[in-house]
Amino acid sequence: MSPVTDFDVDFDDTVAVVTGASGALGSAVVERFRTAGATVCAVDVVAPDEEDSLLEPDSGVQFYEADLTDEDDVSRLVSAVVDDHDRIDHLCNIAGTWRGGDHIEDTDLEAFDLLMNVNLKTAFLASKHALPHLQETAGAIVSVSARSSLEGGEGDGPYRITKAGIRLLTETLAEENRGTVRANCVMPSVIDTPMNREMMPDADHDSWVDPADIANVIAFLCSEGAAVTSGAAVPVYGEA
C-alpha cells in the first residue's frame, strides 16, 4: 500500500519527543512531525550515523541518545529536552521489538525480560517522566500496541502480553489525566519494514502497511483534530 501524503496537521511551536527514532516506524514518525512544523527530539540507543539506523544524520531534528529502560537515563533525557526547548507537547512511544517462536514453557526468562523492558518499560518510564510537562501544555501521548495483543496466540505470548500492557497503560494514562493529557495507542499488524521483509521474504508485501501511513495516524491523534479522543486503541492494520 502506498502512503497517504495529503493529510495536513500543524505542529508549529510545539515540541515532540519520539522514542525508537532510529527504527522504521520511529523515523517515519520523526519525519511526519518535522514536516508538520514541530521541533522534534529523536530518542534512541542507536545513533543516526550507525549502520542500523534509518534516521538520517541530517534529518533536521535534535537527536538524544538514551537508554529508555534506565529510569535515571530517562529522567536526564526529559530534563535535557525541557532545558533545551522549554516544553513537551507530544510524546510518541515508538520504541519496541519483537521476539517469538517458543511456547511459554520453552521461553527463556531473558527473552521475556527483553520484551517487557523494550516494549512496556520504555513507554512507562517515558510517560512517567514526561507527564508533568505534558500536563502543563495539555499535550498528548501516543504509544504502539499491536493487533496480536487482542488475544492469546501460539509462540509469541510474551510479545502479545507486553503489547496488551501498552493498551492498559494507555487507558490508565487517559483516565488519570482526563481533561489534561490525552493518551491513545495504535495497533499495527504487519508493518512494511526492511526487517520484516527479510524475515518474511515470501509474504505478500503489498498488503503490509507503510510506516508513513501509521505515522499519519499518530500525528492525527496528537493533533487538535483528535481533541475529543483519549484512551483509544486505534487499528492500523490496512490489508495485512
Side-chain angles (χ1 to χ4, degrees), residues 170-191:
T170 295
E171 293 171 5
T172 301
L173 290 168
E175 186 66 24
E176 291 180 347
N177 295 276
R178 185 181 296 181
T180 53
V181 177
R182 294 182 298 106
N184 295 288
C185 64
V186 294
M187 295 190 300
S189 179
V190 184
I191 306 175

Side-chain angles (χ1 to χ4, degrees), residues 95-115:
T97 191
W98 183 88
R99 293 290 188 280
D102 294 322
H103 287 198
I104 293 296
E105 68 269 25
D106 297 319
T107 299
D108 292 336
L109 180 60
E110 182 180 1
F112 180 85
D113 285 343
L114 172 70
L115 289 164

Side-chain angles (χ1 to χ4, degrees), residues 115-167:
L115 289 164
M116 289 295 293
N117 286 334
V118 176
N119 290 347
L120 187 54
K121 188 177 182 181
T122 58
F124 165 74
L125 287 176
S127 300
K128 173 183 176 179
H129 287 275
L131 265 171
H133 308 286
L134 291 165
Q135 288 162 351
E136 292 178 359
T137 59
I141 299 171
V142 180
S143 303
V144 180
S145 181
R147 180 181 189 173
S148 62
S149 74
L150 296 172
E151 60 185 2
E154 184 177 352
D156 61 350
Y159 174 80
R160 294 172 185 251
I161 289 165
T162 60
K163 290 301 187 176
I166 289 290
R167 287 191 292 109

Side-chain angles (χ1 to χ4, degrees), residues 183-206:
N184 295 288
C185 64
V186 294
M187 295 190 300
S189 179
V190 184
I191 306 175
D192 192 0
T193 68
M195 182 178 293
N196 283 340
R197 284 187 177 239
E198 183 178 340
M199 289 193 301
M200 295 175 275
D202 298 325
D204 179 11
H205 301 152
D206 290 340

Side-chain angles (χ1 to χ4, degrees), residues 59-113:
S59 58
V61 302
Q62 187 161 350
F63 180 77
Y64 296 80
E65 188 168 341
D67 178 0
L68 295 170
T69 68
D70 183 292
E71 184 161 21
D72 289 340
D73 221 16
V74 175
S75 178
R76 286 192 293 270
L77 163 70
V78 172
S79 295
V81 169
V82 174
D83 286 346
D84 290 343
H85 305 291
D86 298 324
R87 59 189 293 140
I88 299 175
D89 298 271
H90 320 290
L91 171 63
C92 301
N93 288 315
I94 313 299
T97 191
W98 183 88
R99 293 290 188 280
D102 294 322
H103 287 198
I104 293 296
E105 68 269 25
D106 297 319
T107 299
D108 292 336
L109 180 60
E110 182 180 1
F112 180 85
D113 285 343

